[in-house]
Amino acid sequence: MTTHTQLPPGQRFFTNLDRICASARLVVDRPKDSRHPRAPQAVYPVDYGYLDGTTGGDGEGVDVFRGSAEGAGVVGVFLTADPNKRDVEVKVLLDCTGDEIERVRHLLDDVLEIGGLLVLRQDSQAA
């Protein structure tokens, strides 16, 4: 019988997400301070885009919010459920500081009103 190294809860998810992010090109289609195309009151606090060649919950590339903490890597995810679009997605937080995470939360919860469950990486310095 093969013995597998036990990882802390959730660590395999983030390790796999690291691999996906490292192997895909990030396409930023909504740069920091740009407005949402269908909700002009929504201004992106960090770069927003998707990982080329991946598939998220909506059938498009995996969504990514990229902050200013270059080299921090994947610090967490927001899980969103949008009843208007009838979709559920994972939005990756890449290189985000704690303040940037809070501003993304404000965008999702208060401005776009879709809400987001924040799941921080346990070994992240962003909290």
Side-chain angles (χ1 to χ4, degrees):
M1 182 164 99
T2 305
T3 304
H4 295 281
T5 303
Q6 290 288 17
L7 294 174
Q11 186 60 41
R12 179 157 305 167
F13 171 81
F14 284 107
T15 299
N16 288 343
L17 198 49
D18 287 337
R19 291 176 62 201
I20 292 168
C21 288
S23 66
R25 180 177 65 92
L26 175 62
V27 177
V28 175
D29 54 4
R30 298 180 193 161
K32 178 182 178 187
D33 297 325
S34 65
R35 295 191 179 277
H36 190 285
R38 291 177 304 284
Q41 75 279 13
V43 177
Y44 286 88
V46 296
D47 289 342
Y48 180 74
Y50 63 92
L51 296 173
D52 194 31
T54 63
T55 305
D58 60 359
E60 302 293 327
V62 172
D63 293 332
V64 175
F65 285 99
R66 181 182 63 194
S68 64
E70 190 174 329
V74 177
V75 297
V77 296
F78 270 105
L79 308 176
T80 63
D82 186 339
N84 294 325
K85 287 174 46 182
R86 298 185 54 80
D87 85 350
V88 174
E89 294 188 49
V90 174
K91 298 182 182 294
V92 178
L93 298 167
L94 181 65
D95 295 341
C96 289
T97 66
D99 179 62
E100 289 168 335
I101 292 169
E102 177 54 28
R103 291 187 301 165
V104 170
R105 186 217 53 79
H106 172 71
L107 173 70
L108 296 173
D109 284 348
D110 304 328
V111 181
L112 294 174
E113 297 181 335
I114 60 173
L117 174 64
L118 174 61
V119 179
L120 285 175
R121 186 176 201 151
Q122 293 302 312
D123 58 354
S124 170
Q125 300 300 313

